[in-house]
């Protein structure tokens, strides 16, 4: 408890208003930037949001902003023109980010861009054009690589494979079976549909993005791939031809 408090105070001392999501959002709102509910800056000390003309930035609800993301509303390249002939030909445009948007690591959102709702932006993307709702984009410059329905289908197809691989790598690293709480993103695969018996770790995941009731409804009406965690473990051992008599 004391160490956690000291760590928080240390971050506040080193990073100031960028020490936490809460303090950074408070700072940005005070500057005049419009920010919705349930917005997260995962490493705010690595983020830059242009506050020079704060009324040009609008961020919606449930936006996940990861490490190194930059949001800018200006372009100072006109300084070269000014040096050549003395003219000031400025460049500033708004940036608007919709609801339910994920922005991957080290992405740059350029001036004049409007991002729709339900959008996923891959890591290291440079977004210099509008992104329609329900899109998945990536690249420099960012381009649409999928829509959200196709992406969801792809995620479903890879869901079990990812859990199996995670199991294998843990087994190889520690020479023992992993505890089921380590699979906090995969518990739908094996947990029985009894929400009142879920561990806190799994319940915390269901609380994410602020739509617990919808998640609970989906959880209860779907069926697990396996009849409990033990069956999932047996499946993984069988897939990779592993021994179950490990330490």
């Amino acid at each position: 408890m004391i160490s956690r408090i000291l760590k928080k105070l240390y971050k506040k001392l080193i990073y100031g208003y960028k020490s936490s999501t809460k303090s950074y959002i408070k700072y940005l709102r005070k500057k005049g930037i419009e920010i919705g509910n349930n917005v997260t800056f995962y490493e705010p000390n690595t983020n830059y949001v242009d506050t020079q003309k704060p009324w040009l930035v609008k961020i919606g609800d449930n936006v996940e902003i990861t490490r190194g993301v930059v949001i800018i509303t200006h372009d100072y390249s006109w300084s070269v023109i000014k040096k050549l002939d003395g003219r000031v030909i400025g460049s500033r445009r708004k940036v608007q980010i919709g609801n339910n948007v994920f922005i991957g690591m080290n992405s740059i959102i350029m001036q004049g861009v409007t991002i729709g709702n339900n959008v996923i932006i891959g890591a290291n993307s440079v977004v210099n054009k509008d992104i329609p709702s329900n899109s998945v984009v990536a690249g420099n410059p960012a381009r649409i690589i999928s829509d959200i329905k196709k992406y969801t289908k792809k995620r479903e197809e890879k869901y079990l494979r990812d859990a199996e691989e995670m199991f294998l790598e843990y087994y190889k690293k520690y020479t023992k079976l992993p505890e089921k709480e380590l699979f906090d993103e995969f518990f739908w695969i094996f947990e029985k549909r009894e929400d009142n018996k879920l561990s806190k770790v799994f319940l915390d995941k269901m609380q994410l993005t602020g739509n617990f009731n919808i998640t609970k409804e989906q959880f209860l009406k779907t069926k697990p791939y396996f009849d409990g965690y033990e069956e999932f473990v047996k499946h993984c051992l069988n897939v990779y031809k592993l021994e179950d008599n490990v330490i």
Side-chain angles (χ1 to χ4, degrees):
M1 178 65 177
I2 295 176
S3 62
R4 189 162 61 246
I5 293 174
L6 290 175
K7 184 178 180 180
K8 186 175 180 181
L9 289 173
Y10 175 78
K11 288 183 67 177
K12 183 69 175 178
L13 180 64
I14 298 298
Y15 299 121
Y17 62 82
K18 284 192 169 187
S19 62
S20 69
T21 283
K22 185 177 180 180
S23 60
Y24 191 37
I25 289 176
K26 182 179 179 180
Y27 166 82
L28 293 174
R29 284 174 173 163
K30 188 174 181 180
K31 283 288 186 178
I33 290 177
E34 186 176 343
I35 300 178
N37 299 315
N38 301 316
V39 173
T40 302
F41 289 88
Y42 284 96
E43 294 189 45
N45 60 296
T46 70
N47 298 133
Y48 174 78
V49 179
D50 196 339
T51 59
Q52 293 184 28
K53 299 292 187 289
W55 63 91
L56 293 178
V57 179
K58 181 179 180 181
I59 300 174
D61 299 331
N62 301 304
V63 178
E64 313 285 338
I65 300 172
T66 58
R67 178 182 177 86
V69 170
V70 172
I71 300 172
I72 53 178
T73 62
H74 73 280
D75 178 2
Y76 192 48
S77 60
W78 60 265
S79 63
V80 176
I81 300 172
K82 183 181 183 300
K83 185 67 174 177
L84 284 172
D85 63 20
R87 289 184 297 166
V88 174
I89 308 176
S91 178
R92 289 186 183 274
R93 299 181 66 195
K94 71 175 182 179
V95 170
Q96 183 167 324
I97 300 172
N99 303 319
N100 195 28
V101 175
F102 174 85
I103 307 177
M105 291 174 58
N106 299 316
S107 293
I108 302 175
I109 312 301
M110 302 292 289
Q111 61 164 356
V113 164
T114 295
I115 298 170
N117 302 322
N118 312 314
V119 169
I120 296 172
I121 300 172
N124 298 306
S125 296
V126 176
V127 183
N128 61 2
K129 294 181 180 179
D130 290 353
I131 300 176
S133 295
N134 305 305
S135 298
V136 180
V137 304
N140 178 9
R143 62 181 181 83
I144 296 175
I145 59 175
S146 179
D147 60 48
I148 202 67
K149 288 186 177 179
K150 289 180 181 178
Y151 179 82
T152 301
K153 181 66 176 177
K154 184 181 293 186
R155 190 86 297 285
E156 290 172 345
E157 292 171 351
K158 294 180 178 180
Y159 189 42
L160 178 57
R161 182 211 63 186
D162 287 359
E164 293 169 346
E165 184 176 300
M166 183 175 164
F167 178 97
L168 173 64
E169 295 306 315
Y170 184 94
Y171 185 100
K172 287 162 57 179
K173 175 72 174 180
Y174 300 107
T175 324
K176 65 179 182 179
L177 302 177
E179 297 179 0
K180 75 173 184 177
E181 278 72 20
L182 292 174
F183 292 86
D184 55 342
E185 297 180 23
F186 300 96
F187 67 93
W188 284 44
I189 289 175
F190 52 76
E191 280 293 87
K192 296 180 179 179
R193 295 321 194 234
E194 299 171 341
D195 64 309
N196 60 326
K197 294 184 179 180
L198 287 176
S199 71
K200 183 180 183 303
V201 172
F202 299 156
L203 285 172
D204 286 345
K205 276 293 182 287
M206 294 179 75
Q207 294 282 357
L208 292 177
T209 72
N211 62 341
F212 175 79
N213 289 333
I214 294 175
T215 300
K216 176 181 175 181
E217 181 182 346
Q218 285 285 347
F219 178 74
L220 293 176
K221 75 179 185 181
T222 57
K223 294 182 179 180
Y225 296 30
F226 303 97
D227 186 22
Y229 182 66
E230 292 76 13
E231 291 300 316
F232 168 67
V233 169
K234 290 178 181 178
H235 166 80
C236 292
L237 292 170
N238 182 62
V239 167
Y240 295 111
K241 310 302 181 185
L242 303 172
E243 298 292 333
D244 63 356
N245 58 341
V246 294
I247 298 174

